Amino acid sequence: TADIISTVEFNYSGDLLATGDKGGRVVIFQREQENKIRPHSRGEYNVYSTFQSHEPEFDYLKSLEIEEKINKIRWLPQQNAAHFLLSTNDKTIKLWKISERDKRAEGYNLKDEDGRLRDPFRITALRVPILKPMDLMVEASPRRIFANAHTYHINSISVNSDHETYLSADDLRINLWHLEITDRSFNIVDIKPANMEELTEVITAAEFHPHQCNVLVYSSSKGTIRLCDMRSSALCDRHSKFFEEPEDPSSRSFFSEIISSISDVKFSHSGRYMMTRDYLSVKVWDLNMESRPVETHQVHEYLRSKLCSLYENDCIFDKFECCWNGSDSAVMTGSYNNFFRMFDRSTRRDVTLEASRESSKPRASLKPRKVCAGGKRKKDEISVDSLDFNKKILHTAWHPVDNVIAVAATNNLYIFQDKAN
Amino acid sequence: MRIGAARIEMPGLETLGLLRAARPSRLGESRRSSRRGRRRRLPGSGCVTHPPPPPPLQEEPPPLPSGNEGRPGGRTAGWGLGLHGPGWQAGSTMLSKGLKRKREEEEEEEEEEKETLAVDAWWLDPGHPAVAQAPPTVASSSLFDLSVIKLHHSLRQSEPDLRHLVLVVNTLRRIQASMAPTAALPSVPNLHPTPSMDDNLVASSDAGLSASVASLLEDLSHIEDLSQAPQPPADEVPPGRPIGGAPPSLGALDLLGPATGCLLDDGLEGLFEDIDTSMYDSELWAPASEGFKPGPEDGPGKEEAPELDEAELDYLMDVLVGTQALERPPGPGR
C-alpha cells in the first residue's frame, strides 16, 4: 500500500508535476519539450526525480507512530535554476530543493580523478580545473525542516503570495511560518475549546489568497468557511467573513452534517472566487457573498439514497479534492469507480470520465461515462450498485495554463490532455 | 475545454500517459537521481497483494425483523466493493497476487450487503414516503449501535482521526436526541420527534440494550451536582502566540464537563480530582503514555457484536472519562 498516491500538484509553470505517496516518497515528473526526433512526445511527462521525503517516526512521549504518508505538496514559485517544494506528513513539513547538475569539474590539484587525495609535496605545477559536461543528474536535498508545531494531524499547507511565508493547518490550529525560520511559528487560528468535550468542529482545509497576502480561508467539518484577514488582528480567531449555505430542510438526515463536511477549499486563480468540495457536491462561492454559493455542481447525487451504507463502510468520510483550470472556466473533482467529473462553468455542462487502464490506451480518447441511478439501465451505463467504492479518485490536478490534467487512481497516475492542444 | 455541441462530452480528451504503475526499477530511466528511495521492498509487495480492506465494523449485519422487503425492486446485487474477482492490478514488473475470494464467501458477503441496504430508508424524515416501508424503531437502534461501535473503534486508535471522531460523535448525539426526546438536552436539536419511540424502545426486542442505555442515562443524571474540576492552567502563550520548537505543553488532562443527561456528557470528573494527570502531555482523545495499563485484551471480535451488553457500555464510559487508559490496538491501528 506504500504506492498509494496521496497528493498531486503541478508547479507554477506546469512543467513539473509532483506526487507524494503513502510510503513517504515524492516522485516528480517533467514535461518533455518539443523534440524533432520524437515529435509526438511533446507534452509527455517523464520521471525527473524521486526521493524519500518522510520516514515513519515514533513519538516516544505519546507512544505513537507517525505515518510517513505525504499529505500535501506545494511548490514555491521559481526564483532561480533550482526548484523548491514543501512536503508534509501529519506532523512535519519539509522544504526540498531540487537542482540539476550537468557539469562537473575536472583537473583538481589536490585530488585525483577518482577522488583520492594527492600528496601536496608531489605537486609540482598548478592547473585550473575545467568544467566538463556530464549526464544530467537531479538532486533533491532537504533545506528546512519545520517540526514540532502541530499536536494534531496536518491537513493543509499553503504558500503565501509574498513568497516568504506559508501556513500549515491541522484539525484545530493554523500556524504561520517564515520559510527561513524553522524553530518557531506563529499560531494564527486556534479553535480548540477549553474543554475538549465541547469539541464539535474541526478544521478540514486552509489556503492563502492567491494575491492578497493578508487573507486566508479555512473550512470546517460543519460545512462552513471562514475568511480571515491577518491585518485586522494577529490572531484570526474571529473571522472577517463567514460562508455557509443554509441547510435544505427537505433533505435533512442524520448524515447531513457528515456530508456537509468540506474536504477541500481552493481559491480561483483570479482570487475572486473559491470552491469547496463536500461529500456530494462542488460549490463555487463569490467572496463577496457569504450567504450562499453562486454555483453548486452535483458530483454523484445518486449516492444520497445510499448514505447509510456509505456510513457503515466509512466511505462517507472520504475526502475528495477539487481543482480549477487555468482560466477558472472549469472545475474538476473525483468520484468512485475511478470516475472523475469536470464541470464547465460557462456552458453549465459536465462530463464523467474514467481513469483506468482498460479505457486509457495512450493517445486514445476518453469516452464519457454515465451512471444509472435507477430504472432501466441503458447500454454503456453503469448502475449504482456496480460501482467499485474501493476505486476512489481523491486527488486530481489541473495544469496552470494548458488543458492537461493529472488524475491519481490509487497507485496509478493518469495524465490526460485535450486533443485541441 | 471544448465540449461537444450536441452531447455532453469531451471529445478532445486523450490519454497522455499512465505513470507510476510500477516501482522504482522502471522509473528514472532517463534521469539519474541521487536521492532514490532507500527503502527496500520485496518483489510483489506494495499495493497489490492485500485484498480490499474489510468493512471496519461488525461482520454480522444488525438483525432485521422478518417481513422486511428491503428496497423497492428487491435488488440483491452487492455494492461492488471489489469483493468479487481478483485483487488490485499489479504493475507489470510485479507478480499479481490478487486475492480471489471464494464463491461461498462472495455469497455470504452479498447476503450481508443485501441486508445492509435494506435499512437504508429508515433514517429519513418521517414525512418521506420511503419511511413507510421500514419499521423505524429497530432500525434506529441499529444505527445507534453502529455509531457507538464506530466511536468505540475510533477511540481505540492510538491516535484517533479527530475529524472522524467529531463527526461520529455529533451524529450519535443527533440519533440519541431523536431516540430520547424527553431527556434534558439543551444544546442538541431534536431532529425527529417521534413520541411513540420511547415506548417502542422499551418494548422492542432490543430490551437489553434499551435497559442499559436507560440506566446509564439515569446514573449520569444523578451526577449533575458534582462540582466541575478546576480548569487546567492557561497554557496558551501570550498574544501572537509564537510557539517554540519543543512540543507545546497541553496542560492537565481535559476532563468532561457537567452532565446534561446525554450519554456522552457526564460530570464524573469530580471523582478524579485527586488524580494528577499534569505530567501527561495528552488530551481527551489521546492516550496517556505512562498510565498505560495492559487492559483486558478485547480483540477485534468484541467489536463486531451489534448488541452491546452492560460490560461493553461500562468499558466505553470508562474510556470516555479517562479512568481507563486507551488500549493499544491489537494490530496496525491505521
Side-chain angles (χ1 to χ4, degrees):
Chain A
T1 56
D3 281 346
I4 295 177
I5 299 172
S6 48
T7 184
V8 183
E9 185 81 355
F10 280 100
N11 73 339
Y12 281 77
S13 65
D15 278 343
L16 296 178
L17 174 65
T19 62
D21 67 17
K22 210 168 172 223
R25 249 184 4 147
V26 169
V27 180
I28 301 177
F29 301 89
Q30 187 184 45
R31 197 175 195 187
E32 289 302 325
Q33 298 308 308
E34 191 91 26
N35 189 333
K36 291 199 182 92
I37 302 163
R38 293 179 62 221
H40 294 297
S41 73
R42 196 217 173 262
E44 276 179 13
Y45 281 81
N46 294 315
V47 177
Y48 178 68
S49 172
T50 303
F51 58 93
Q52 188 72 32
S53 172
H54 287 71
E55 300 269 6
E57 283 172 50
F58 197 76
D59 180 342
Y60 291 97
L61 191 66
K62 290 187 181 177
S63 274
L64 300 168
E65 183 171 295
I66 300 169
E67 264 193 281
E68 68 274 30
K69 172 168 74 92
I70 308 293
N71 291 338
K72 281 288 182 329
I73 288 174
R74 290 289 182 264
W75 291 91
L76 266 57
Q78 193 176 7
Q79 286 167 333
N80 51 37
H83 299 277
F84 289 86
L85 60 80
L86 288 169
S87 73
T88 186
N89 68 350
D90 282 340
K91 300 284 185 179
T92 304
I93 307 130
K94 294 187 183 180
L95 176 69
W96 286 89
K97 176 181 178 183
I98 297 104
S99 48
E100 293 184 359
R101 190 199 290 265
D102 62 353
K103 302 183 203 25
R104 62 185 163 85
E106 252 183 37
Y108 285 102
N109 290 295
L110 292 176
K111 55 180 181 181
D112 282 340
E113 291 311 314
D114 37 1
R116 275 184 319 178
L117 289 173
R118 275 187 187 166
D119 188 359
F121 297 107
R122 291 188 188 275
I123 297 170
T124 54
L126 285 178
R127 56 184 175 171
V128 177
I130 51 174
L131 290 177
K132 288 212 169 143
M134 59 179 256
D135 283 342
L136 181 67
M137 200 163 92
V138 182
E139 301 171 311
S141 58
R143 305 303 286 182
R144 304 270 186 280
I145 297 183
F146 307 89
N148 299 322
H150 285 279
T151 308
Y152 306 99
H153 292 173
I154 297 174
N155 52 55
S156 311
I157 48 175
S158 177
V159 181
N160 205 348
S161 52
D162 63 9
H163 302 164
E164 285 181 355
T165 57
Y166 75 95
L167 66 79
S168 59
D170 65 29
D171 293 317
L172 297 179
R173 298 186 175 109
I174 302 180
N175 295 332
L176 179 71
W177 300 85
H178 193 284
L179 284 165
E180 300 291 330
I181 300 168
T182 59
D183 62 355
R184 64 179 178 277
S185 66
F186 280 87
N187 176 252
I188 49 176
V189 173
D190 187 338
I191 65 168
K192 178 173 180 262
N195 283 324
M196 275 298 269
E197 105 280 0
E198 286 164 13
L199 181 68
T200 56
E201 195 172 11
V202 297
I203 296 171
T204 52
E207 194 177 62
F208 266 122
H209 190 278
H211 311 307
Q212 297 167 34
C213 57
N214 52 298
V215 172
L216 63 108
V217 292
Y218 68 93
S219 59
S220 83
S221 55
K222 283 197 169 174
T224 65
I225 309 104
R226 289 169 176 83
L227 184 144
C228 300
D229 187 333
M230 295 195 293
R231 285 177 312 192
S232 54
S233 76
L235 309 177
C236 298
D237 284 356
R238 263 191 240 122
H239 51 260
S240 298
K241 293 192 182 181
F242 182 78
F243 298 82
E244 185 179 27
E245 183 170 27
E247 192 184 1
D248 175 14
S250 66
S251 60
R252 195 191 244 176
S253 75
F254 288 127
F255 307 113
S256 291
E257 182 177 321
I258 299 180
I259 62 170
S260 77
S261 173
I262 292 173
S263 50
D264 195 13
V265 63
K266 292 266 173 50
F267 278 105
S268 63
H269 291 91
S270 65
R272 207 191 130 190
Y273 299 97
M274 68 177 174
M275 164 171 55
T276 57
R277 175 68 155 98
D278 50 70
Y279 190 62
L280 295 179
S281 68
V282 160
K283 294 178 180 172
V284 176
W285 303 78
D286 186 319
L287 293 186
N288 297 317
M289 187 162 77
E290 301 165 57
S291 54
R292 57 184 161 78
V294 291
E295 293 164 29
T296 300
H297 303 282
Q298 302 300 338
V299 181
H300 36 219
E301 182 69 12
Y302 45 79
L303 296 183
R304 192 180 288 273
S305 57
K306 316 281 185 191
L307 292 180
C308 193
S309 305
L310 293 164
Y311 178 65
E312 185 173 6
N313 65 19
D314 269 347
C315 279
I316 205 175
F317 299 102
D318 285 336
K319 290 184 288 185
F320 293 92
E321 290 171 9
C322 53
C323 57
W324 297 86
N325 72 342
S327 59
D328 296 337
S329 64
V331 297
M332 170 170 65
T333 190
S335 178
Y336 294 104
N337 209 72
N338 278 350
F339 288 169
F340 59 99
R341 303 264 286 139
M342 280 174 160
F343 302 92
D344 186 311
R345 299 177 60 215
S346 36
T347 63
R348 304 291 305 186
R349 286 200 172 113
D350 60 80
V351 70
T352 304
L353 300 166
E354 183 179 356
S356 73
R357 279 175 203 265
E358 293 78 39
S359 54
S360 312
K361 303 285 187 293
R363 302 291 159 177
S365 282
L366 286 183
K367 207 177 64 164
R369 316 289 285 167
K370 191 125 168 47
V371 176
C372 167
K376 233 179 146 164
R377 188 177 76 86
K378 300 194 186 83
K379 182 176 172 253
D380 283 350
E381 281 185 356
I382 297 173
S383 79
V384 180
D385 296 319
S386 309
L387 295 175
D388 188 343
F389 288 84
N390 279 340
K391 292 184 179 169
K392 34 194 119 185
I393 293 187
L394 305 172
H395 312 287
T396 58
W398 207 314
H399 190 284
V401 178
D402 298 335
N403 278 334
V404 176
I405 59 174
V407 176
T410 315
N411 59 324
N412 293 320
L413 184 72
Y414 293 84
I415 310 222
F416 303 110
Q417 78 174 2
D418 190 7
K419 261 183 184 155
N421 254 11
Chain B
M1 180 77 69
R2 256 192 327 113
I3 312 262
R7 293 168 49 195
I8 299 168
E9 61 184 2
M10 291 276 195
L13 215 56
E14 64 170 358
T15 307
L16 256 192
L18 164 52
L19 306 172
R20 283 180 68 96
R23 292 295 299 170
S25 55
R26 289 198 62 196
L27 299 177
E29 283 169 354
S30 56
R31 308 258 182 272
R32 204 157 46 98
S33 165
S34 63
R35 284 242 173 202
R36 248 174 226 283
R38 283 185 294 274
R39 298 164 67 114
R40 305 179 120 263
R41 300 194 192 282
L42 301 171
S45 69
C47 63
V48 184
T49 58
H50 79 234
L57 307 162
Q58 67 225 38
E59 308 278 56
E60 295 163 72
L64 292 174
S66 58
N68 187 325
E69 303 213 319
R71 286 171 49 233
R75 287 192 154 176
T76 62
W79 267 95
L81 286 177
L83 295 173
H84 318 292
W88 294 337
Q89 197 87 68
S92 51
T93 56
M94 293 188 297
L95 297 171
S96 176
K97 284 197 211 159
L99 187 77
K100 258 193 162 66
R101 293 180 75 97
K102 297 203 182 63
R103 191 163 167 76
E104 312 83 72
E105 283 179 48
E106 276 187 40
E107 283 174 355
E108 229 181 298
E109 289 284 355
E110 279 196 57
E111 260 183 355
E112 289 172 14
E113 295 299 334
K114 173 171 54 161
E115 290 177 283
T116 307
L117 288 173
V119 300
D120 225 323
W122 66 268
W123 46 264
L124 293 168
D125 190 358
H128 199 283
V131 169
Q133 297 169 11
T137 314
V138 177
S140 288
S141 146
S142 300
L143 191 67
F144 179 82
D145 292 346
L146 178 61
S147 299
V148 173
I149 288 170
K150 275 190 186 293
L151 175 63
H152 190 183
H153 184 80
S154 197
L155 287 171
R156 283 173 66 88
Q157 302 293 316
S158 50
E159 208 175 7
D161 177 353
L162 215 57
R163 172 185 165 259
H164 184 271
L165 194 58
V166 157
L167 289 174
V168 169
V169 164
N170 289 350
T171 306
L172 195 50
R173 284 190 171 130
R174 280 195 192 199
I175 296 163
Q176 233 183 358
S178 73
M179 286 167 74
T182 54
L185 297 167
S187 58
V188 179
N190 201 347
L191 279 183
H192 300 278
T194 46
S196 61
M197 209 171 276
D198 263 350
D199 301 324
N200 290 339
L201 206 59
V202 173
S204 77
S205 56
D206 262 349
L209 167 68
S210 322
S212 304
V213 173
S215 70
L216 199 59
L217 288 173
E218 217 180 277
D219 287 341
L220 291 177
S221 63
H222 291 320
I223 306 168
E224 274 190 45
D225 50 359
L226 278 179
S227 58
Q228 200 170 353
Q231 290 300 313
D235 49 274
E236 302 300 332
V237 297
R241 298 206 285 260
I243 53 185
S249 164
L250 298 162
L253 182 71
D254 287 330
L255 298 170
L256 301 173
T260 57
C262 176
L263 175 70
L264 300 165
D265 293 330
D266 69 358
L268 294 173
E269 76 280 3
L271 299 173
F272 310 111
E273 269 172 327
D274 55 335
I275 294 178
D276 175 26
T277 55
S278 60
M279 64 186 294
Y280 300 144
D281 177 24
S282 62
E283 297 162 88
L284 179 64
W285 308 123
S289 54
E290 272 123 283
F292 207 83
K293 298 180 288 249
E297 190 61 32
D298 289 329
K302 194 164 184 202
E303 291 174 5
E304 269 91 48
E307 289 182 298
L308 302 179
D309 56 6
E310 288 213 21
E312 180 84 355
L313 278 172
D314 285 344
Y315 168 72
L316 187 55
M317 280 312 306
D318 285 344
V319 165
L320 285 170
V321 304
T323 53
Q324 167 147 4
L326 291 170
E327 298 173 6
R328 210 181 208 125
R334 296 186 186 277

